Amino acid sequence: MEPKKFELGDIVQMKKQHPCGTNEMEIIRMGMDIRIKCVGCKHSVLIPRAKFEKNMKKVLRSKETNEGEEG
Ligand SMILES: [Zn+2]
């Protein structure tokens, strides 16, 4: 199993879905803790890195390939 790799700006899929019904989150801040923003309702949460890695399923889109999106 390859290690999880994620970067700032990536859209990731979480194992548990957000109460609003989506499980896609955008990484908006990286550090000891990770801040992610729900793609559905734009709510952001700060969670410890270890917990994030455990709860994250996979990276859906990385920032470099994330083209043609509008605000
Ligand atoms: Zn949400």
Side-chain angles (χ1 to χ4, degrees), residues 10-55:
D10 285 359
I11 305 293
V12 300
Q13 185 176 24
M14 306 303 285
K15 285 176 184 166
K16 273 199 270 182
Q17 74 175 25
H18 202 246
C20 74
T22 186
N23 60 358
E24 291 183 23
M25 299 279 181
E26 180 184 356
I27 299 172
I28 58 172
R29 188 169 174 168
M30 298 255 281
M32 291 273 290
D33 296 323
I34 310 272
R35 185 173 285 278
I36 52 175
K37 187 174 77 174
C38 178
V39 170
C41 67
K42 313 295 185 195
H43 187 84
S44 71
V45 283
L46 189 66
I47 57 173
R49 196 185 186 100
K51 191 178 172 187
F52 172 78
E53 288 187 17
K54 196 177 155 201
N55 291 351

